[in-house]
Amino acid sequence: MATAKYLPQVEAVIKAFLLLISLVLSGHSMAVAQASSDTVGAELAARFSAVESWSGEFEQLLVDINGREQERVTGRFALQQPNLIDWHYDEPLNQRLVSDGTSLWFYDRDLEQVTVRAVADLLDQSPAAILLGRLPAAQAYTFSFTEQQRADGALVERYTMARNGAGDLSVLGQIEELRIDWSADRLLALQVTDNFGQQTTVNFHRLQRNIQLPTSQFRFDLPQGVEIVR
């Protein structure tokens, strides 16, 4: 039987695309000239939408409001325009998230259950859509941009997306703040802070972009005996 506590996990997994970037940056931080929020948001969306596909590995870290580590897990992923997702969590989570562009399947191997949601509904409610080049409503978030230089001399471009006021949590996906770090054309990490003060970080490794990915990778075949939860 499905257990209720795993149903919200779908949104949590979606947020994994926006996770907190805990790169240990030393050196100095320098603010650049303030561009308008709309301009920065459009620039960020354009950087993602210019990429037809992503694939690689990641490490995800969840910490609570007091900075205590709650969970650390690794995995691999692939994304392809438009709205195709294949996201694997290694042990101990042992979970997989697959989008064929229409439906999103969240598979928990240990529970032997699959949760199915409409991709459009979830992406419209989550800043995760930005990884596929889609921006949330302009009135919902304010975008800003800074540059930071690490001790090794690498320049990190940081985009921040902060929620405007309390807003409608059903629309805003309970995301308070999203940070995205780039270095040149390389995506480094994502950081999200939710409305409970928890932060989740995904650091990317062995990242590849615009490689040919098989369409079969984004198809979910229901294993025998697995329960579907809609």
Side-chain angles (χ1 to χ4, degrees), residues 120-141:
D121 291 346
L122 279 177
L123 290 181
D124 287 345
Q125 294 175 13
S126 172
I130 205 166
L131 280 176
L132 294 166
R134 298 170 56 184
L135 286 173
Q139 69 273 17
Y141 292 92

Side-chain angles (χ1 to χ4, degrees), residues 84-147:
L84 300 180
I85 301 167
D86 185 22
W87 192 278
H88 292 255
Y89 285 105
D90 298 332
E91 298 286 354
L93 286 187
N94 204 21
Q95 296 166 345
R96 184 187 180 199
L97 184 75
V98 182
S99 165
D100 59 10
T102 302
S103 298
L104 187 143
W105 306 76
F106 177 64
Y107 176 39
D108 190 306
R109 291 180 178 84
D110 296 333
L111 287 181
E112 295 187 334
Q113 78 172 43
V114 173
T115 302
V116 184
R117 299 283 297 276
V119 172
D121 291 346
L122 279 177
L123 290 181
D124 287 345
Q125 294 175 13
S126 172
I130 205 166
L131 280 176
L132 294 166
R134 298 170 56 184
L135 286 173
Q139 69 273 17
Y141 292 92
T142 297
F143 290 85
S144 60
F145 174 79
T146 59
E147 292 180 340

Side-chain angles (χ1 to χ4, degrees), residues 6 17 32 56 69 130 146 191-192:
Y6 277 86
F17 296 116
V32 299
E69 181 176 325
I130 205 166
T146 59
Q191 174 188 75
V192 67

Side-chain angles (χ1 to χ4, degrees), residues 37-50:
S37 174
D38 289 347
T39 299
V40 174
E43 177 185 315
L44 177 59
R47 295 190 78 159
F48 282 114
S49 61

